[in-house]
Amino acid sequence: MTYDLIIIGGGPAGSAGAVYAARKKLKTLFVTSEWGGQSIVSEKIYNWIGSPSISGQDLAENFKKHVLANVGESLEVKEGKVVDLTEPKALALASALGSVFSVKTESGEEFSTKTILIATGSSRKKIFAKNADKLEHKGLTYCATCDGPLFDGQDVAVVGGGNAAFESASQLLAYCQSVTIIHRSEIFKADAVTVERILKNPKIKVIKNANILEIQGDKFVEGLVYEDKTTKEKVTLKVSGIFVEIGQIPNTDFAKGLVPLDEGCRIKIDAWSQKTEIPGIWAAGDCTNILYHQNLIAAGDAVRAIEDIYLHLHTK
Ligand SMILES: Cc1cc2nc3c(=O)[nH]c(=O)nc-3n(C[C@H](O)[C@H](O)[C@H](O)COP(=O)(O)OP(=O)(O)OC[C@H]3O[C@@H](n4cnc5c(N)ncnc54)[C@H](O)[C@@H]3O)c2cc1C
C-alpha cells in the first residue's frame, strides 16, 4: 500500500500537520519517536495562543490527544524513529502518481508514500570541552527541568545566552544557592524582558566573553575552567552542576542522503510553500532553514505545507 503522505515528527509542526492532513482526508501515516517536541521540558509556556500559561508536558499531552482524536480511515499513527528515506522509485505507476518514496524506521519497518512532510525539529548542541563527555549525566546536563532538583542548595552554572539558557536559570533559581550564567559573547540573545527579570535575582551571577575549556571533576562535576576572551586569563569556577543550553542541531541525519541541507544541516525550503528541493518532499519547523524557532511558527509552517501537499496531490 502507498500512503498519500507520511509525516515524520510529533512536535508542534508534525502534530499540526497530522490534524490538517486527516481533515483533508489524505491517507496519512504519522511517525514520531516522542510526543510534544522540544518545549516539553518547559515548566511554563506563555505564548501558545489560546493558553495564557501551559506546561510543556500538558502541551505535549494536548498534541497527542488532538492527533489521536483524528485517527481513523485517513490517519494512522506509529511511535518509532525514522532512520532512512530512500530515492524515489520509478514504479510502473510513476506517471500517474509521481515519485514514490520509502520511509524506514529503526524497527526495520518500511513504508511507501507519494509525499513526505519532515517535521523532526532539533536537539541540544553538545559542549566541546575537556572532560565534557566523561562528566555528562554526572553533573553536566542538558535539562534543568529534569535534573535541577538534584542540585538543591548548590552552586551551579548555566552555559548559554539565549532564551533556553535564561529559562533554565530561572528554573534553577528555585533550588540552587547560586546560578552563574556563562556566555561566550557580550550580548545575550534571550528576550530583553526575560534577561531583565532573571538578572534582578540576587542569586544570579553573570560571566560574559568566556570560552569554556575544561569541566573539572573525577566522578562528578566539581567545577569548570574558562578563558576570559578579553584578558586571555584562565579562570576556575567551582560549581557542582553545569547546565548546557548553547543551541540546537537539526534532526536531519536520516534525510541527508536524499534531501539537500544547508551548512548547518537544516533542510532547505521554499518559504512560500515549505517545499524542499526534492519534488514530493516538504519540511516544516525547526529542522528547516527558517530564521525563527517558535512553537506557533513550527505549527503554522506545517499547515502551509499540508495545504501545498493537498494541492500537489489533487492537481496531478
Ligand atoms: C527549553 C526550550 C523552551 C522553549 N520554549 C518555547 C516557548 O516558550 N515558546 C515557543 O514558542 N517556543 C519555545 N521553544 C522553541 C520550540 O520548542 C520549537 O521552536 C518547536 O518545538 C519546534 O517545533 P518542531 O515541531 O519543528 O520540532 P520539535 O519540537 O523539535 O519536534 C520534533 C519531533 O520530531 C521527533 N523526531 C525527531 N527525529 C525523529 C525521527 N528520526 N523519527 C521520528 N520522529 C523524530 C521528536 O521526537 C519530536 O517529537 C523552546 C525550546 C526549548 C528547547
Side-chain angles (χ1 to χ4, degrees):
M1 177 199 141
T2 301
Y3 290 97
D4 286 332
L5 168 66
I6 292 183
I7 298 174
I8 312 168
S15 303
V19 171
Y20 269 71
R23 292 182 58 76
K24 286 183 176 294
K25 293 194 179 295
L26 297 178
K27 184 77 192 145
T28 303
L29 176 66
F30 171 88
V31 189
T32 188
S33 42
E34 277 171 32
W35 290 89
Q38 292 158 55
S39 53
I40 193 169
V41 296
S42 291
E43 214 174 320
K44 288 278 178 234
I45 295 165
Y46 297 100
N47 52 13
W48 182 253
I49 294 303
S51 302
S53 160
I54 185 166
S55 73
Q57 290 279 357
D58 286 348
L59 188 64
E61 200 49 45
N62 288 351
F63 289 166
K64 185 172 178 177
K65 269 196 228 150
H66 203 162
V67 172
L68 294 183
N70 284 276
V71 165
E73 235 172 76
S74 23
L75 179 66
E76 283 173 54
V77 167
K78 212 162 239 315
E79 290 187 13
K81 186 175 179 185
V82 169
V83 289
D84 200 17
L85 306 181
T86 46
E87 296 280 349
K89 288 171 196 149
L91 297 185
L93 283 172
S95 56
L97 293 176
S99 299
V100 175
F101 302 97
S102 178
V103 175
K104 195 171 174 184
T105 66
E106 204 168 35
S107 63
E109 287 178 289
E110 219 164 329
F111 304 97
S112 187
T113 181
K114 295 177 207 170
T115 65
I116 298 175
L117 172 59
I118 304 175
T120 45
S122 59
S123 310
R124 305 290 166 89
K125 209 180 256 178
K126 297 273 172 132
I127 188 168
F128 290 105
K130 193 173 163 197
N131 283 334
D133 274 0
K134 185 180 112 183
L135 292 165
E136 191 171 327
H137 306 305
K138 292 172 184 152
L140 179 89
T141 160
Y142 291 82
C143 181
T145 309
C146 325
D147 299 336
L150 303 172
F151 295 85
D152 195 14
Q154 300 179 40
D155 297 311
V156 300
V158 172
V159 184
N163 280 322
F166 274 81
E167 195 169 306
S168 292
S170 167
Q171 291 179 29
L172 292 166
L173 284 168
Y175 326 99
C176 300
Q177 178 166 277
S178 76
V179 179
T180 304
I181 297 177
I182 306 181
H183 186 37
R184 64 179 175 173
S185 65
E186 183 59 37
I187 313 270
F188 292 121
K189 275 207 268 173
D191 301 336
V193 178
T194 310
V195 173
E196 200 182 335
R197 180 171 57 84
I198 305 290
L199 296 191
K200 268 189 197 149
N201 193 304
K203 293 203 282 181
I204 282 278
K205 297 172 193 168
V206 170
I207 297 169
K208 291 181 180 175
N209 299 307
N211 191 13
I212 296 176
L213 303 174
E214 182 182 344
I215 312 298
Q216 292 184 320
D218 185 17
K219 293 201 170 90
F220 210 81
V221 166
E222 288 166 14
L224 59 84
V225 179
Y226 67 89
E227 180 193 54
D228 181 319
K229 284 160 82 177
T230 326
T231 62
K232 304 290 173 208
E233 188 190 355
K234 285 186 184 148
V235 186
T236 300
L237 178 75
K238 291 286 167 206
V239 284
S240 42
I242 299 169
F243 293 80
V244 182
E245 291 290 356
I246 54 174
Q248 306 289 121
I249 35 170
N251 300 319
T252 53
D253 246 25
F254 68 93
K256 68 182 175 200
L258 185 56
V259 186
L261 309 177
D262 72 2
E263 65 292 344
C265 295
R266 294 166 300 199
I267 298 172
K268 294 199 259 180
I269 51 125
D270 162 40
W272 290 100
S273 63
Q274 306 295 135
K275 280 184 173 87
T276 69
E277 291 180 4
I278 301 295
I281 304 186
W282 283 253
D286 284 14
C287 63
T288 68
N289 61 339
I290 51 162
L291 277 181
Y292 306 110
H293 300 141
Q294 288 286 287
N295 286 314
L296 286 167
I297 293 175
D301 285 353
V303 173
R304 185 184 301 112
I306 296 296
E307 296 290 354
D308 206 56
I309 291 167
Y310 183 81
L311 216 62
H312 168 86
L313 288 167
H314 286 83
T315 51
K316 280 195 175 300

